[in-house]
Amino acid sequence: NFRYIFRSPDFYRALKNTLTIASFKYVLGVLAPLIVALLVNEVRNDPFKRVFQTLIYLPHFLSWVILSGILIDILSPVSGAVNMLIRLSGGQPVFFLADNSWFQFTLISTHLWKETGWGTIVFLAALTGIDPSLYEAAVMDGASRAKQTWHITIPGIATTVILIAALNLSNIMNAGFEQVFNL
């Protein structure tokens, strides 16, 4: 079986595609929720913040069968909302789910859309554990929001970032059969 696999003309292309997709899903699966959590944490309007958290977390609970149906409609080259926007801006429609040059991007971005909410909620929970007096002291010292984020927030949730990275590592060779099959 191993001889057959390694001699297959498509083996190395399939391995390369799997590694590419899995690597992007891994790296962006840690960075996207972290960035979204940092941005959501800056929102001071609590009702808006709660609604946004709910909306971003909702796709995580839906199966790929349901999400694929939604995505097929949204990305349709004939009647999809994305291609209608492309046409309105003067471009040519793109068949995202059948064009080889777009499929990896589509696969990675739809995975992020589905899973970013889970990581965001975890990071937001970690952000609540940072002592507010550290931010007060930083303001008294004249630190900007960017400096506070870099020197207080990121180190304060570093262990959670490592935890999310370790949990995502378990899926490194999983390119997402259910997602690919349904899309």
Side-chain angles (χ1 to χ4, degrees):
N1 288 331
F2 286 108
R3 229 179 287 131
Y4 173 76
I5 288 173
F6 289 119
R7 288 181 183 163
S8 171
D10 295 329
F11 171 74
Y12 291 103
R13 187 177 70 193
L15 181 64
K16 178 184 164 261
N17 287 341
T18 300
L19 290 174
T20 302
I21 291 167
S23 298
F24 275 105
K25 282 183 177 183
Y26 176 72
V27 171
L28 296 176
V30 175
L31 290 178
L34 177 61
I35 291 167
V36 171
L38 291 173
L39 292 173
V40 169
N41 193 49
E42 295 298 317
V43 174
R44 298 293 169 223
N45 185 345
D46 281 339
F48 175 78
K49 190 175 186 176
R50 277 185 253 130
V51 168
F52 184 77
Q53 286 173 339
T54 302
L55 289 176
I56 197 167
Y57 197 37
L58 185 63
H60 176 74
F61 293 107
L62 300 176
S63 73
W64 274 114
V65 174
I66 294 169
L67 288 176
S68 295
I70 294 168
L71 289 167
I72 288 168
D73 287 341
I74 291 173
L75 299 175
S76 168
V78 177
S79 61
V82 173
N83 277 308
M84 285 190 179
L85 290 173
I86 291 171
R87 269 192 222 99
L88 286 174
S89 64
Q92 293 296 319
V94 177
F95 199 176
F96 290 98
L97 298 175
D99 187 347
N100 288 341
S101 61
W102 281 98
F103 190 72
Q104 281 187 359
F105 170 78
T106 304
L107 207 63
I108 294 163
S109 60
T110 56
H111 172 79
L112 286 176
W113 175 56
K114 184 179 188 319
E115 298 301 331
T116 295
W118 179 80
T120 300
I121 298 299
V122 173
F123 285 133
L124 285 170
L127 287 169
T128 62
I130 298 174
D131 185 7
S133 65
L134 294 172
Y135 292 108
E136 293 169 7
V139 168
M140 296 301 285
D141 289 340
S144 66
R145 291 301 292 163
K147 293 272 187 189
Q148 291 174 37
T149 300
W150 188 254
H151 294 288
I152 298 171
T153 307
I154 301 295
I157 63 171
T159 55
T160 306
V161 173
I162 292 168
L163 173 69
I164 295 293
L167 290 173
N168 285 353
L169 192 59
S170 66
N171 287 323
I172 195 70
M173 287 304 289
N174 179 6
F177 172 77
E178 186 180 5
Q179 179 189 15
V180 174
F181 183 74
N182 285 300
L183 286 176

